[in-house]
Amino acid sequence: MKIRIKDNSVRFRITQSEVTELHKNGMISSTTQFIDNPFIYTVEKTDEQQLSAAFVEHTIVMKIPGFMVEELATTDRVGFDGLSGKVQLLIEKDFVCLDNTIEDQSDNYPNPNMKC
């Protein structure tokens, strides 16, 4: 899982296996271990009707409605966006990059713009 934060915007990008895990178990989480504290980013399935987010005890938690998780897991839908207070939220499938990159992309979704 990757996150991109810029001002009041938070974007989560999730791989194929993470979508599957979120669909099956209702939660995915990753951690960046800083020297004095971890930074944790989590996505949790909820019964709510819209995306929301909170920052509690070194953790960003994005809450995604169950119907959105179902749609991500079973359709070609790329993602969902929403607003949580002043923070713009986006959760989307992570596609293979079109440019050369050194990161492992083996679990990313095939890029629809990639020429076969």
Side-chain angles (χ1 to χ4, degrees):
M1 176 169 30
K2 298 178 206 169
I3 59 171
R4 179 174 288 167
I5 300 171
K6 184 176 188 311
D7 301 326
N8 283 331
S9 174
V10 178
R11 181 173 86 177
F12 282 64
R13 292 171 61 189
I14 55 180
T15 64
Q16 294 182 74
S17 63
E18 290 166 336
V19 169
T20 300
E21 184 178 341
L22 180 62
H23 187 239
K24 181 180 177 184
N25 300 321
M27 187 179 107
I28 54 175
S29 189
S30 292
T31 302
T32 301
Q33 188 62 53
F34 288 97
I35 293 171
D36 52 352
N37 286 303
F39 174 62
I40 304 163
Y41 35 110
T42 300
V43 179
E44 291 180 358
K45 185 167 67 171
T46 181
D47 292 332
E48 297 171 12
Q49 295 300 304
Q50 58 189 13
L51 288 176
S52 62
F55 183 68
V56 180
E57 296 182 18
H58 315 290
T59 305
I60 293 177
V61 179
M62 182 179 289
K63 296 179 182 177
I64 181 171
F67 73 90
M68 291 181 186
V69 173
E70 182 70 24
E71 196 166 341
L72 281 176
T74 62
T75 72
D76 290 336
R77 177 81 185 242
V78 173
F80 293 92
D81 64 350
L83 194 63
S84 186
K86 294 182 180 182
V87 179
Q88 181 69 38
L89 304 174
L90 177 64
I91 186 165
E92 61 188 354
K93 294 174 178 175
D94 197 4
F95 291 104
V96 171
C97 295
L98 295 176
D99 58 359
N100 294 330
T101 183
I102 59 171
E103 76 179 67
D104 178 12
Q105 298 186 73
S106 60
D107 193 26
N108 291 14
Y109 287 87
N111 192 310
N113 295 322
M114 190 172 283
K115 296 176 184 174
C116 297

